[in-house]
Amino acid sequence: MHTDLNFSGKEAKMKRTRIIALLLSDQAIGHVLIKGWVKTRRDAKDFSFIEINDGSCLQNIQVVADLGMANFDAVKKLSTGSAVAVHGALRPSPGKGQKWEIQALSIEIISIAPDEFPLQKKRHTDEFLRTISHLRPRTNKYGAAFRIRSTLSFAIHRFFQERGFAHVHTPILTGSDCEGAGELFQVTALDMENPPRSGGAIDYSRDFFHRSANLTVSGQLEAELFALALGDVYTFGPTFRAENSNTSRHAAEFWMVEPEMAFSDLNDDMDLAETFIRYLVTYALENCREDLGLFAGFVDKTLMDTLGIIAAKPFIRIPYAEAVDILSRSGHHFNFDVSFGTDLQTEHERYLAETHFNQPVIIYDYPKTIKPFYMRVNDNGGTVAAMDVIVPRIGEIIGGSQREERLDVLESRMAETGVPPENLWWYLDSRRFGSVPHSGFGLGFERLVMLVTGISNIRDVIPFPRTPGNIEF
RNA sequence: UCCCCAGUAGCUCAGUCGGCAGAGCAGGUGGCUGUUAACCACCGUGUCCGUGGUUCGAGUCCGCGCUGGGGAGCCA
């Protein structure tokens, strides 16, 4: 409880109002309480303007403190980053630049940020802010980015729940080590200084799970099992890849959205992917207007055009063979040659999405030799029912396919690609007992946030990025 | 993992031909004004990433290493 004489019992019990609610108010309010952090302070001799932000929105609210206040000397020393509680009146601001301000009755200093506080009023580089990931959400840009991330996360659940998809929590710890999606992080409870051995090798039969275990690289296989029970499902969870990727688009820990639909083919899959992305972009445009304005103004001047195109125009859909044809006829010089049977390089995808079409493109029916075992083999025998969604600036944001539902074909594909069937006996069981055509895809959530905000480095759209050599926070 | 670039004050950066280590911002003090990245005056701040070398002399040139960034591969 407050001991300050400025606070009556009634004030002390008052609940704080979020700044966003006050800024949207359509009338003056006689008495409000806000709590937040000082962004900046502008002093006059007998009064002081203090900008307060509480994270509820990008904008600060201006608090006017004056000489009549008991602790005015202390208030005039409030530093950037300090935390305060302000009782006062919401009233129209006579100054330019804001509709409302708070005439303070009292300001309780909750805590002072000393001048070592590393965030200035001025702009910092993203590189510097990455070294203080624990403080960067207090900046305008990162606050906005993480509010948008939260909104998109909610929109994903809303999209699927509205359409009758069930959310499945697929496991983080997994014993299957051959999902064919990159290098694995191993998980163990053994004493790695002195592990039990059998012969020369470490004896994982004495580990926690009586076998070796890993962090998941994808929830897809488990999601398929649930699609074959609940019909339409989705996962939304963290995935882990121990790849030594040093790029602005890869992280070792990232969040993936993986819908899976029973009784559906590749066209259904492409329809869902396109509807999904356009829904999310539209949702952000409608619900993150102020935060998006920051990114459109300071991060990517073309952002609103890009998002507008995605929301408004149907995606281009072309078979892989046609994409190869367009690229080889383009007359454009590529560092990697294009020919049927080789995977499309980043430069090829970007040429299609940014130069040739300048809008999202779905490429489908890839050669089976460059795709994993679970994708359904087309009737021609040479391609699989795979699809990638390519968007400007990001490249591949979605990869998906119709899954191989025929047991015999699946088994021969596993043999071809060197996947031991005994490790996936439970997956094969789904093709033995009531197998049906089904399809799904994976969307990299961070890449979606990059697309929507215009942020160009994946390290800046996830709160605490994990990349090679970086796990400080 | 490969190619390229960078590392100088708390932050952002300049530093010429190898010759005394600089500016803006932030911070401090005072002033002034319903201020808006406020303004004016004054004040302090250095392992020039580390290491070895060339040189009378290295922030500057060379080797090695570390860290960061951009691009590529792998992928989402």
Side-chain angles (χ1 to χ4, degrees):
Chain A
M1 285 291 109
H2 299 287
T3 51
D4 191 316
L5 293 175
N6 285 324
F7 291 86
S8 68
K10 184 185 165 195
E11 284 171 332
K13 281 181 203 147
M14 209 172 159
K15 276 195 135 184
R16 78 180 175 103
T17 305
R18 288 200 174 84
I19 288 170
I20 188 173
L22 297 181
L23 292 173
L24 293 172
S25 179
D26 54 11
Q27 57 180 4
I29 304 172
H31 187 186
V32 296
L33 167 63
I34 61 158
K35 298 184 181 184
W37 293 270
V38 174
K39 280 286 175 139
T40 182
R41 201 189 73 241
R42 293 178 292 271
D43 290 331
K45 190 157 57 180
D46 296 334
F47 51 94
S48 187
F49 298 104
I50 308 164
E51 300 270 345
I52 307 290
N53 188 282
D54 69 358
S56 63
C57 60
L58 184 61
Q59 243 187 295
N60 307 321
I61 197 160
Q62 172 166 289
V63 170
V64 185
D66 63 35
L67 199 55
M69 199 166 287
N71 58 349
F72 185 60
D73 285 347
V75 166
K76 274 188 81 167
K77 290 197 167 111
L78 277 173
S79 51
T80 300
S82 297
V84 294
V86 179
H87 282 277
L90 184 76
R91 63 174 199 194
S93 176
K96 289 173 186 161
Q98 60 278 319
K99 184 177 176 191
W100 298 109
E101 65 182 17
I102 293 176
Q103 176 67 46
L105 289 169
S106 67
I107 296 181
E108 180 201 359
I109 299 170
I110 298 171
S111 70
I112 290 286
D115 57 12
E116 306 95 83
F117 184 60
L119 296 174
Q120 311 168 13
K121 298 172 200 174
K122 293 223 171 188
R123 194 182 167 277
H124 295 278
T125 60
D126 295 321
E127 291 78 14
F128 171 69
L129 291 169
R130 272 172 222 150
T131 68
I132 49 167
S133 291
H134 57 308
L135 297 173
R136 68 178 181 170
R138 295 205 204 169
T139 64
N140 290 340
K141 178 177 170 183
Y142 287 85
F146 293 123
R147 275 188 298 272
I148 290 173
R149 183 180 167 111
S150 169
T151 299
L152 285 170
S153 172
F154 174 74
I156 284 165
H157 286 291
R158 210 178 106 146
F159 175 86
F160 287 120
Q161 298 284 339
E162 278 175 348
R163 285 162 180 75
F165 284 63
H167 183 205
V168 179
H169 294 110
T170 51
I172 308 295
L173 292 169
T174 173
S176 66
D177 55 2
C178 49
E179 292 165 23
E183 297 297 312
L184 298 154
F185 282 104
Q186 192 173 352
V187 175
T188 182
L190 293 176
D191 174 10
M192 294 313 282
E193 297 296 315
N194 185 25
R197 291 183 183 275
S198 166
I202 294 174
D203 182 7
Y204 286 106
S205 72
R206 294 171 64 184
D207 202 346
F208 188 88
F209 296 110
H210 299 180
R211 58 182 289 183
S212 68
N214 301 292
L215 294 177
T216 185
V217 295
S218 161
Q220 179 197 314
L221 302 187
E222 292 89 347
E224 283 187 52
L225 308 180
F226 269 70
L228 297 180
L230 304 186
D232 295 325
V233 302
Y234 68 104
T235 74
F236 184 8
T239 54
F240 308 88
R241 310 250 170 117
E243 279 157 9
N244 190 18
S245 293
N246 292 287
T247 83
S248 55
R249 300 188 309 281
H250 292 84
E253 176 182 290
F254 64 98
W255 287 65
M256 197 149 56
V257 182
E258 295 176 293
E260 201 68 37
M261 299 177 288
F263 312 107
S264 78
D265 62 15
L266 185 66
N267 280 318
D268 300 320
D269 204 33
M270 291 191 282
D271 288 347
L272 182 74
E274 175 171 347
T275 308
F276 183 48
I277 289 188
R278 293 174 68 186
Y279 176 94
L280 294 173
V281 167
T282 303
Y283 193 90
L285 285 169
E286 288 171 356
N287 293 278
C288 306
R289 187 171 299 271
E290 188 194 21
D291 287 329
L292 282 177
L294 180 150
F295 293 101
F298 298 109
V299 176
D300 177 5
K301 303 280 185 202
T302 67
L303 183 64
M304 287 308 176
D305 288 344
T306 306
L307 297 182
I309 286 170
I310 293 171
K313 282 173 101 172
F315 293 2
I316 303 284
R317 298 186 191 188
I318 52 171
Y320 165 89
E322 190 179 328
V324 168
D325 201 46
I326 291 170
L327 291 167
S328 46
R329 288 163 181 271
S330 69
H332 189 272
H333 173 75
F334 296 109
N335 292 319
F336 292 84
D337 288 337
V338 218
S339 65
F340 192 94
T342 59
D343 210 351
L344 298 180
Q345 304 294 312
T346 299
E347 58 177 342
H348 304 141
E349 294 177 347
R350 294 191 65 157
Y351 177 84
L352 290 170
E354 293 169 9
T355 309
H356 190 79
F357 292 114
N358 190 33
Q359 68 166 99
V361 185
I362 306 181
I363 302 169
Y364 61 96
D365 285 350
Y366 282 81
K368 73 173 178 184
T369 49
I370 57 172
K371 290 292 181 184
F373 70 92
Y374 51 75
M375 295 189 174
R376 190 180 194 279
V377 178
N378 288 325
D379 290 345
N380 62 33
T383 60
V384 289
M387 63 98 179
D388 286 351
V389 179
I390 313 297
V391 294
R393 262 195 40 249
I394 308 294
E396 182 181 344
I397 194 169
I398 279 181
S401 67
Q402 184 173 344
R403 317 307 189 187
E404 183 55 74
E405 85 281 12
R406 298 161 297 189
L407 180 63
D408 55 335
V409 181
L410 185 60
E411 284 175 331
S412 64
R413 283 289 289 148
M414 288 171 80
E416 277 172 39
T417 54
V419 177
E422 59 273 20
N423 292 6
L424 291 177
W425 62 272
W426 43 270
Y427 184 69
L428 290 166
D429 258 8
S430 66
R431 274 60 169 176
R432 287 194 184 95
F433 308 121
S435 186
V436 302
H438 62 289
S439 65
F441 62 78
L443 169 131
F445 182 55
E446 281 71 25
R447 290 188 182 174
L448 174 76
V449 181
M450 290 167 73
L451 175 72
V452 170
T453 58
I455 289 174
S456 57
N457 195 312
I458 197 168
R459 297 173 184 91
D460 300 332
V461 297
I462 187 166
F464 301 100
R466 274 80 177 91
T467 52
N470 184 353
I471 195 160
E472 179 70 19
F473 302 98

